[in-house]
Amino acid sequence: MLKGLTNFIFGDRREFEAFQIEASTYSSLECQLCARSVFAEKWVFRNMSLETFQKIRPHIGRTRWVTFRGWGDPLENENLPEMLRQVKGAETRTALITNGSLLSEACAHRLLQTDLDLMVINLEVATQAIQDSLSSMGSDLKRILDQVETVVKLRKAAGRRNPAVKLSFPMTRLNMADLPTMVPLSARLGVDEVIFRNLDYLPEERWNILRTFYHESPTPAFEKAIEEIQLQGKKQGISFLCYPLKAEERMVCEADPPRQVFFSVDGLVAPCPYLKIPQKGPIPRIFMNQEYRVPQLFFGNVHQEDFLEIWGKESYRAFRRVFEDRRRSEFNVGRFLDTFSNPQSAAEKPTPSPPPPLSEECRTCYKAYGI
């Protein structure tokens, strides 16, 4: 109670913004955009054990959020409800990112009992053309949307505001023209927000062909679809988020390695899920129509070392320092531009130095470009 009051007055000042925990690399849903289909026999199928989770558990009070996400569906792990309860015991917010295939009514009841704060349903199955009527949709998509509606109804019946429920659709060449119809549908389901995201990892050429974002020349039809999504969002009165269609380098990516940590299913500590994929060997990527292979990047395993020892390693600190310096550079540029309103102050301040370049591992990752 006292801690909650202190957080309300002074803010929740914790060392980390989020721990991202990969509870499972399994998935009951087969879809066109499943990385597992690319890696085939190289894929490592596993559920995070409670033993591994307990190695992370002592440090959960250091972060504002724990997000259960990864390259599989967290609902595949039967220990997920217990993990969620233990996180809430540390007065930390919880989020779940799932494909929704296992989101039955019984599962929804269990999740509500854990006091989950946020649920995002990634609808990778929505890659084919989508029609306005539910009856015309693919059976998997219709079933998942029905289950989402059940979650919203159960939340309302219990008189709860949490979890916030968000639907996330991938933007592809196959479905872009029809995605605006998902806005009124999402509003009818009663979800809190609808998200339209890019294919941010391109393991092979098929993904590259399907992407809708661009480097130099936009596609007018895709830009028009975004405008229609925005119009529908305002018309329906539902919150919406559209990821940008133009790839432009960011100072710090969405993964934000200085403030977030990714724990893989087997306890490895990595900067983000895009640098630790559960497959054997280096990570294939397509970036600007070129093929690359980058090494898996992690700095230790919680089964061999305490997390803080891993976090404090010079190699990990050096990796994060690039982002810290880039963020500092962005701040300094902002301050420099502000001084133009005060000519006397501008004359006294030196021109800010350019930001350091992205590390080799991140230079060919589209998350570093806002995608």
Side-chain angles (χ1 to χ4, degrees):
M1 180 70 175
L2 181 60
K3 184 176 181 180
L5 182 60
T6 302
N7 290 341
F8 177 77
I9 297 173
F10 298 105
D12 193 354
R13 299 177 182 176
R14 305 200 187 189
E15 300 166 60
F16 300 94
E17 175 62 24
F19 284 178
Q20 300 177 49
I21 297 179
E22 185 175 51
S24 180
T25 62
Y26 288 97
S27 175
S28 299
L29 190 65
E30 293 296 332
C31 64
Q32 290 187 339
L33 301 179
C34 174
R36 292 177 299 281
S37 64
V38 175
F39 298 115
E41 69 277 0
K42 291 184 178 181
W43 194 261
V44 178
F45 291 96
R46 190 169 181 175
N47 280 332
M48 178 178 281
S49 67
L50 278 177
E51 178 188 4
T52 300
F53 178 76
Q54 293 305 329
K55 299 291 185 180
I56 306 168
R57 170 66 182 84
H59 303 288
I60 284 175
R62 301 177 183 273
T63 183
R64 294 182 63 241
W65 284 88
V66 167
T67 301
F68 289 92
R69 61 167 296 183
W71 294 97
D73 184 359
L75 294 180
E76 295 279 354
N77 192 324
E78 64 180 6
N79 293 315
L80 179 65
E82 176 58 26
M83 294 176 180
L84 287 166
R85 281 189 287 269
Q86 291 193 32
V87 172
K88 295 301 290 188
E91 298 188 18
T92 296
R93 297 176 184 178
T94 53
L96 168 67
I97 300 179
T98 173
N99 61 33
S101 61
L102 298 179
L103 195 58
S104 64
E105 184 171 345
C107 176
H109 274 293
R110 289 193 294 271
L111 292 175
L112 286 171
Q113 290 170 359
T114 69
D115 198 25
L116 180 68
D117 291 285
L118 170 64
M119 180 190 300
V120 180
I121 299 92
N122 277 345
L123 293 166
E124 281 89 356
V125 292
T127 55
Q128 300 292 343
I130 301 169
Q131 303 300 318
D132 196 27
S133 172
L134 271 174
S135 61
S136 65
M137 292 183 183
S139 58
D140 281 334
L141 180 57
K142 182 180 185 304
R143 175 176 58 83
I144 292 170
L145 291 176
D146 287 344
Q147 291 172 172
V148 170
E149 186 175 28
T150 297
V151 173
V152 174
K153 288 179 178 179
L154 289 174
R155 182 185 66 177
K156 182 177 180 180
R160 305 171 62 96
R161 300 180 64 181
N162 287 343
V165 178
K166 302 183 180 184
L167 289 182
S168 177
F169 295 90
M171 295 187 291
T172 77
R173 290 181 178 272
L174 295 175
N175 67 4
M176 194 67 177
D178 296 305
L179 282 179
T181 65
M182 293 295 96
V183 179
L185 171 61
S186 300
R188 290 197 296 271
L189 292 176
V191 302
D192 300 283
E193 186 176 49
V194 57
I195 302 167
F196 299 92
R197 54 188 171 80
N198 289 300
L199 302 182
D200 50 24
Y201 171 56
L202 312 178
E204 63 178 16
E205 183 59 25
R206 182 162 62 95
W207 269 252
N208 191 37
I209 294 172
L210 286 174
R211 68 176 170 85
T212 55
F213 66 86
Y214 65 94
H215 304 104
E216 296 178 355
S217 301
T219 302
F222 298 162
E223 299 280 344
K224 183 177 179 180
I226 293 293
E227 293 175 3
E228 182 61 27
I229 286 171
Q230 294 169 341
L231 288 173
Q232 287 290 333
K234 294 174 182 178
K235 180 179 179 180
Q236 300 294 330
I238 185 173
S239 178
F240 62 91
L241 170 64
C242 293
Y243 276 67
L245 291 182
K246 185 176 182 180
E248 295 181 297
E249 185 176 326
R250 301 293 195 264
M251 290 296 180
V252 181
C253 64
E254 188 177 48
D256 199 355
R259 298 178 181 176
Q260 300 188 48
V261 185
F262 178 68
F263 296 91
S264 74
V265 70
D266 49 1
L268 293 170
V269 178
C272 77
Y274 298 89
L275 289 172
K276 180 62 191 78
I277 294 178
Q279 61 95 25
K280 301 171 185 177
I283 301 169
R285 288 178 183 162
I286 292 180
F287 178 74
M288 295 193 72
N289 300 315
Q290 297 292 320
E291 293 184 4
Y292 295 87
R293 294 181 76 83
V294 298
Q296 305 264 1
L297 182 66
F298 51 89
F299 295 96
N301 192 308
V302 294
H303 282 284
Q304 281 82 49
E305 303 169 273
D306 182 76
F307 164 64
L308 290 184
E309 293 178 1
I310 299 171
W311 180 256
K313 287 183 178 180
E314 179 53 34
S315 57
Y316 202 172
R317 290 163 61 91
F319 179 87
R320 301 194 304 267
R321 196 175 299 125
V322 172
F323 293 96
E324 291 163 352
D325 290 346
R326 287 172 65 85
R327 177 177 278 128
R328 192 176 300 113
S329 174
E330 182 177 43
F331 175 73
N332 290 338
V333 169
R335 291 185 62 184
F336 178 75
L337 294 175
D338 287 343
T339 61
F340 280 103
S341 60
N342 186 342
Q344 182 177 356
S345 175
E348 298 171 356
K349 292 182 181 288
T351 303
S353 58
L358 289 163
S359 64
E360 192 68 29
E361 300 91 348
C362 299
R363 206 164 297 160
T364 56
C365 177
Y366 274 118
K367 297 306 291 182
Y369 300 84
I371 295 306

